[in-house]
DNA sequence: ACTGAAACGATGAATGA
DNA sequence: TCATTCATCGTTTCAGT
């Protein structure tokens, strides 16, 4: 996790990769006007320094038995064991995201399961985690956008 | 978006790709014991049928100027124009996710910006979107897990 | 649907500017 | 840090089963 200096070329490369993680180095090289080996070096260093964390294949969760998305707020007892609850929550495969949030000593988790029945089962498991006080779920009806692409400084240049 | 029948081999391939979107077809072929061309055909059909939606490069948002994550609940006026608000919200690059949720006629959006000042600016933009009544933001302090990988039926076999 | 072979293109390392 | 070259490996097409 070295702290590299990121220049415009890095941002160009990252912008291309954010939109499509499957583009080849050779194609990136063509787009940015550099040799493939130069791009390879850049990408490798971005990976090494932790700027590029990895690559994910985006699948259609609705077609694969996880059609129900919910956001659940989980209140935990303050103090000892609070951070441990987050780790435990993260271990559930149906829990895609675990965020510790400000304000009310609670976690906000994103859950993806088959149906409401499965959600109930998951919530029941949350209840057994120790210092969990109560949970509050919001069910997603439709998802308009779901992405990880963040705006990079290179966008407006 | 054709409705293909997904068999065990498809699930095996998807499980490999979900964990690492950059594995080569040749390596998948080795793992599942098939020829590379066979895997290529499978992956191509999964892509064509919409099961595989794409590939994303996961970047370190903290290192790239989007260190603040927030979940904002946006109440909208019922009735006409409600779905349009979702489309408008999705157009903001700093808005990564837009979910229409049950219960209170509201959107839940995931926002990723530089700091609280930038968040304030984004919230101000939300206010100009027409039928928006009020917003309620929850700031993320630490993210324990953030993934898109869903559990597939092939996992327990 | 899968195999195997063959052509093509990308990867990745070495060298040098 | 990048370009060039080159051996190696992956991708992709196609004929055959």
């Amino acid at each position: 996790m070295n702290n590299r200096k990121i220049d415009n070329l890095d941002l160009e490369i990252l912008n291309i990769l954010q939109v499509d993680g499957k583009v080849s180095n050779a194609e990136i090289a063509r787009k940015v006007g550099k040799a493939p080996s130069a791009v390879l070096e850049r990408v490798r260093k971005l990976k090494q320094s932790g700027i590029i964390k990895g690559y994910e294949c985006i699948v259609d969760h609705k077609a694969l038995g996880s059609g129900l998305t919910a956001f659940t707020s989980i209140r935990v007892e303050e103090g000892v064991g609070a951070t441990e609850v987050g780790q435990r929550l993260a271990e559930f495969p149906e829990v895609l995201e675990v965020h510790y949030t400000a304000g009310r000593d609670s976690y906000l988790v994103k859950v993806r399961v088959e149906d409401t029945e499965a959600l109930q089962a998951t919530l029941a498991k949350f209840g057994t985690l120790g210092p969990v006080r109560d949970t509050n779920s919001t069910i997603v009806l439709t998802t308009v956008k779901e992405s990880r692409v963040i705006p990079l400084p290179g966008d407006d240049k």
Side-chain angles (χ1 to χ4, degrees), chain A:
Chain A
M1 198 81 97
N2 194 9
N3 230 7
R4 294 202 332 106
K5 173 111 182 64
I6 295 164
D7 62 12
N8 277 345
L9 182 54
D10 288 323
L11 291 173
E12 271 188 80
I13 292 171
L14 287 169
N15 263 325
I16 294 169
L17 280 173
Q18 272 203 121
V19 175
D20 180 8
K22 260 281 167 105
V23 283
S24 63
N25 291 330
E27 203 179 327
I28 299 173
R30 271 176 242 124
K31 288 186 180 177
V32 302
K34 291 277 149 63
S37 58
V39 174
L40 176 70
E41 260 304 293
R42 293 276 186 153
V43 173
R44 179 158 29 200
K45 284 180 181 172
L46 286 167
K47 187 87 180 284
Q48 231 173 356
S49 66
I51 304 290
I52 292 178
K53 290 181 166 183
Y55 299 87
E56 257 181 10
C57 174
I58 306 167
V59 301
D60 184 1
H61 60 270
K62 276 173 274 182
L64 293 167
S66 296
L68 182 70
T69 304
F71 287 90
T72 302
S73 174
I74 301 173
R75 298 266 286 273
V76 296
E77 298 285 342
E78 304 180 32
V80 199
T83 56
E84 209 177 306
V85 173
Q87 300 294 332
R88 296 274 196 88
L89 290 167
E91 285 169 15
F92 292 103
E94 71 267 38
V95 173
L96 304 192
E97 302 186 15
V98 179
H99 307 275
Y100 187 70
T101 64
R104 291 174 228 137
D105 296 301
S106 65
Y107 287 95
L108 182 62
V109 304
K110 184 185 193 175
V111 181
R112 201 150 261 175
V113 289
E114 188 176 6
D115 49 28
T116 50
E117 206 171 336
L119 178 61
Q120 189 178 6
T122 297
L123 294 176
K125 287 190 281 182
F126 290 170
T128 68
L129 282 185
V132 170
R133 285 173 52 167
D134 59 70
T135 67
N136 191 326
S137 296
T138 303
I139 290 187
V140 171
L141 298 178
T142 56
T143 294
V144 183
K145 179 182 182 178
E146 188 168 44
S147 167
R148 298 187 72 137
V149 178
I150 57 168
L152 295 181
D155 284 354
D156 39 44
K157 254 233 188 115

